[in-house]
Amino acid sequence: MPNSSEEIVINKPRRRSRIREAHENSIIRAAEQLFSQNGYHGTALETIAEKAGMSKQNLIYYFSSKEILYQRVLRNILDILIEKMTLMDQLGETPTEILTNYIKSKVEISRHYPDASKVFAIEIINGAPYLKKYLQTHLTPALEDDVKLVEKWMAEGVMDKIDPYHLFFMIWSSTQTYADFSSQVSLSLGKEQLQDKDFDNATEFLTHLVIKGLGMR
Amino acid sequence: MPNSSEEIVINKPRRRSRIREAHENSIIRAAEQLFSQNGYHGTALETIAEKAGMSKQNLIYYFSSKEILYQRVLRNILDILIEKMTLMDQLGETPTEILTNYIKSKVEISRHYPDASKVFAIEIINGAPYLKKYLQTHLTPALEDDVKLVEKWMAEGVMDKIDPYHLFFMIWSSTQTYADFSSQVSLSLGKEQLQDKDFDNATEFLTHLVIKGLGMR
DNA sequence: CTCAGTCATGACCACATGGTAAAATAAGCG
DNA sequence: CGCTTATTTTACCATGTGGTCATGACTGAG
């Protein structure tokens, strides 16, 4: 139980000021967008600062180095991805429902966090220098669990016997493509930008393909 | 009709010397690898030159600017991609055979040109600043033809009625992922590097999924 | 009011890097 | 050999940019 207020307040509570919170957010948003368009080295701190509405020096006040800012951007999207990355976390009773919701979740991420998703993708393409360790400790174990679950389903005869790993690779890639390769996708569809309807169509198609392709239901 | 030989030979034939050919090749190889790992801005000309075994100034002698070199790298992989990009070009009599070979071709590209594929991917992620026009004039029309072919198959009842565009997006993304996201894939599989067997498994899985998922055969 | 800590700006610099200019050397060819 | 063209090297520079330093302005709690 807390003591009387004036007691051992050695470390000042130093609450995150509202200004700091707001500015860090706008910096991260700006950084996501610029990093995703021009890459890490192709983006100048001054450009980010400008987009976030402040001076470069002020930006450095909030993020003491470019690398730290970059890692923060990566970390942000990773938290989102990890959270929805596991089959277990999906609502649904039957395997079909679970898989359906899994696909849906991943398309949603592409729809709502396209810039961050692109930064993540580039990082992976570059060989995941910053993320390798984190992926090993967080993503891989979660994937193992999911694989086991799928194998259980296969043993129970509710789906075809296939290589579960490649199933996940396929779902990851074909859902993320609506963020990462959106320029190619929208170009192919003859649109300036992807609409909600397009994401829905994607979800529907992928669900159909996976469920039927695995002989489920 | 040509006159006697010594007359108007203003433009010398100037055949591509063997040295030039060889050096340009090694430069492009080095550039592919470095661009794919560090991006355009993250790669110094001097680093490329070093990897190609020559001085920076000599590299500039062969490629007069960094941008020109980059476009050449892009152009190279694009030519390969475009060549195999169309369903029409696939061998095979039946729709099933054609689709199977299509998937196989695309996985082969990921297997054999991983670096170039990554450079291409990053370019698309960045919004395809250099490629937009080229994609519009070359890729989109080819895709349209393929879509029409698939629609014909659907009309003939040999496959389920689905959105053909998303089918192609799915095939593109899930085959390219074995090049672009190879670091994540190999990490997930617990390997240092992908083996031939992994590519074969991927092909087999994707083929199964697509053929069965579309109700073909 | 005041004053510590937060926020913001201007001046500046070290350094990497793309690119130029010119001179030197090697290769092909009559 | 002698001459032209192709290749390579040496020296150099202009620019962009990440980051430091010192200083000033603002703000809220006591």
Side-chain angles (χ1 to χ4, degrees), chain B residues 12 14 17 20 23 58 61-62:
Chain B
K12 297 159 196 162
R14 181 76 50 82
S17 88
R20 182 169 205 102
H23 280 188
N58 202 16
Y61 169 73
Y62 288 105

Side-chain angles (χ1 to χ4, degrees), chain A residues 117-212:
Chain A
S117 177
K118 286 173 186 170
V119 176
F120 174 79
I122 293 176
E123 173 69 10
I124 300 288
I125 293 176
N126 288 343
Y130 287 109
L131 294 180
K132 199 158 247 173
K133 202 176 284 182
Y134 191 80
L135 291 180
Q136 245 159 357
T137 58
H138 289 69
L139 185 65
T140 309
L143 174 61
E144 290 302 319
D145 290 343
D146 286 349
V147 166
K148 286 207 183 74
L149 179 56
V150 168
E151 280 169 345
K152 178 165 150 275
W153 291 345
M154 293 193 301
E156 290 171 353
V158 301
M159 60 181 284
D160 295 351
K161 292 195 168 144
I162 45 85
D163 188 324
Y165 289 96
H166 293 283
L167 170 62
F168 285 105
F169 300 151
M170 175 262 156
I171 295 178
W172 293 348
S173 61
S174 51
T175 50
Q176 257 204 259
T177 202
Y178 292 95
D180 304 342
F181 282 57
S182 62
S183 69
Q184 192 184 17
V185 169
S186 58
L187 212 64
S188 299
L189 293 177
K191 310 186 170 186
E192 276 298 311
Q193 226 177 342
L194 294 182
Q195 313 293 324
D196 279 353
K197 186 70 184 161
D198 299 316
F199 289 96
D200 295 339
N201 287 346
T203 305
E204 193 191 0
F205 168 78
L206 290 173
T207 305
H208 171 98
L209 191 75
V210 167
I211 299 301
K212 183 163 184 177

